[in-house]
Amino acid sequence: MTTLAFGSAFLLALIWVGYPLVMRGLAALRRAPAPSDPAEWPRISVVVASRDAAADLRARLADVLAGDYPPDRIEVIAALDVSSPVTPAEIERDDARIRVVRGEAPGGKATALNAGAAAATGELLVFTDTFQRFAPDALRRLAAVLATGVYGVTSGRLELPERGRASLVERYWRMERRLRRDEAIIHSAIGVSGSIYAMRRELWAPLPVGLILDDLYLPMRLVLRGERIGFTDGARAFDARRTVPAEEYHRKVRTLTGNFQLCAWLPAVLVPVRNPVWVQFVCHKLLRLLTPWLALGVAVGTAGAVLQRTGWTGVVIMLAAGALLAGLAIATGHGARLKGVIVWLWSMQLSVIAATANGLRGRWDVWGGRR
């Protein structure tokens, strides 16, 4: 039992601490490509995939056009889901640089993105969603990184709403951003942020209908073709929404199910000789799926070891100590925070189990709830 507990704890530490630290160390030994302003800013097509209300979409398009990118070098394409009730007249009246297209049946984000990219005329494609806002210089920073020629695709930096003391979700996302930056310096980030990423237009190819994660499938498909995926820390997007645990659970089930779908639809990512970032992909995306089982191993192994050495008395003492610590947290005003941590950790482990079940069954229709 002791071996089970320590072995599971070691693997958890390796996945969540060891791998990011190795990437940090390797990235420190390399110099990131230095972006520079191009002599002439390329023409950009910003594709906003949406199935949301006209007012929300109009606000998003206005935000994109309010940035400091040269106004004569930008167009914005509202790529509507086939089920969207929004009409072109509601959107295109605001600015001549706005165009509206609609995805084909059966619908879904992939078909909307396909329609938007097909209508684009820019040298660079930038993809985003409805409920984020760009920093004024975000498009310039993305274009400057792609102008180096090092990367075929680059992601921006998504920032979550500030809530005072950082929650576990925010701490996790900070770690994820650092990890993607380090991976990009070494070779390629494993995925991009769907709320802000850019690519050279000639690299675009239509996405398969029913795709869950365009922000993972598209970059990994290009990595297999020899392209590199960057991370532009200075190109910032801000999420205006605050999520509750139930919404975060459904979002996590969707994204983790997308990992299984990627392996099924793009199996070359699992082949070391085909995937130049195979180690990073396995460590970043696949080994994390073992987290709930390893956590269970720690719990069962620890309880079993205590039972073997001290009998039920030790188990009772261990449970009493846990209850005492919880009581102290409540007494010192940290009860709500402790509850939030427990709920988040529990829901995240359940999301892995649900996504694993989806993946084993080939169930890819997971678009319920917010995008």
Side-chain angles (χ1 to χ4, degrees):
M1 286 296 182
T2 302
T3 302
L4 175 63
F6 277 105
S8 298
F10 173 78
L11 289 175
L12 279 173
L14 184 65
I15 293 167
W16 290 101
V17 180
Y19 172 66
L21 286 179
V22 169
M23 290 294 102
R24 176 66 57 85
L26 292 176
L29 300 177
R30 302 192 63 175
R31 180 176 299 178
S36 59
D37 293 351
E40 181 181 17
W41 290 101
R43 181 167 173 78
I44 281 185
S45 297
V46 181
V47 179
V48 182
S50 180
R51 61 173 183 179
D52 303 291
D56 295 322
L57 180 55
R58 291 176 66 191
R60 181 70 184 104
L61 301 178
D63 171 76
V64 172
L65 292 171
D68 64 3
Y69 203 79
D72 61 333
R73 308 294 293 167
I74 182 173
E75 69 174 356
V76 183
I77 299 174
L80 305 179
D81 184 79
V82 68
S83 63
S84 173
V86 176
T87 63
E90 294 178 272
I91 304 300
E92 292 178 338
R93 67 190 184 196
D94 293 334
D95 194 297
R97 293 170 293 174
I98 295 175
R99 300 173 60 194
V100 178
V101 296
R102 191 178 298 272
E104 298 179 352
K109 187 178 181 182
T111 63
L113 292 176
N114 287 341
T121 61
E123 302 163 63
L124 303 181
L125 303 179
V126 177
F127 299 98
T128 187
D129 297 322
T130 308
F131 291 102
Q132 289 81 37
R133 299 293 181 264
F134 283 172
D137 61 349
L139 295 179
R140 282 182 179 267
R141 288 180 177 270
L142 293 172
V145 167
L146 291 180
T148 66
V150 175
Y151 300 110
V153 181
T154 189
S155 176
R157 169 191 177 115
L158 176 63
E159 296 190 1
L160 302 179
E162 294 185 3
R163 311 183 186 199
R165 182 181 295 182
S167 67
L168 275 180
V169 176
E170 292 161 336
R171 293 180 186 275
Y172 165 80
W173 190 238
R174 290 176 186 175
M175 180 204 74
E176 185 72 9
R177 289 195 305 247
R178 288 194 298 266
L179 181 56
R180 290 185 183 184
R181 180 194 63 194
D182 293 338
E183 290 172 336
I185 293 173
I186 296 167
H187 187 287
S188 291
I190 306 301
V192 294
S193 173
S195 59
I196 176 169
Y197 70 99
M199 65 182 296
R200 300 199 307 272
R201 188 175 185 276
E202 66 267 20
L203 298 179
W204 169 264
L207 300 171
V209 174
L211 182 68
I212 298 172
L213 297 180
D214 63 284
D215 49 8
L216 181 60
Y217 182 93
L218 187 150
M220 293 309 301
R221 181 171 64 182
L222 291 176
V223 164
L224 295 176
R225 291 176 46 185
E227 299 291 338
R228 290 182 60 183
I229 313 302
F231 182 82
T232 306
D233 201 44
R236 297 173 298 158
F238 305 92
D239 200 322
R241 299 172 298 178
R242 295 179 181 272
T243 59
V244 298
E247 292 172 336
E248 183 65 18
Y249 166 79
H250 290 295
R251 186 195 69 82
K252 202 65 179 175
V253 170
R254 184 173 68 248
T255 58
L256 293 175
T257 301
N259 292 344
F260 286 98
Q261 186 193 60
L262 175 78
C263 296
W265 288 13
L266 199 66
V269 298
L270 301 174
V271 182
V273 295
R274 290 286 313 279
N275 185 356
V277 292
W278 181 82
V279 172
Q280 293 95 312
F281 177 75
V282 169
C283 292
H284 193 150
K285 291 297 182 182
L286 300 187
L287 291 185
R288 289 185 181 184
L289 298 172
L290 298 176
T291 298
W293 316 111
L294 294 175
L296 181 63
V298 171
V300 172
T302 301
V306 171
L307 183 62
Q308 287 177 344
R309 297 191 179 197
T310 65
W312 286 105
T313 301
V315 175
V316 171
I317 292 174
M318 184 174 67
L319 294 175
L324 178 61
L325 290 174
L328 287 174
I330 295 172
T332 56
H334 294 88
R337 183 171 179 81
L338 176 62
K339 178 183 177 181
V341 169
I342 293 173
V343 169
W344 186 81
L345 289 174
W346 179 252
S347 66
M348 291 305 98
Q349 306 324 307
L350 290 179
S351 70
V352 176
I353 296 171
T356 302
N358 288 338
L360 293 176
R361 295 163 54 197
R363 180 180 178 271
W364 313 129
D365 183 16
V366 291
W367 279 106
R370 266 196 325 197
R371 295 189 180 186

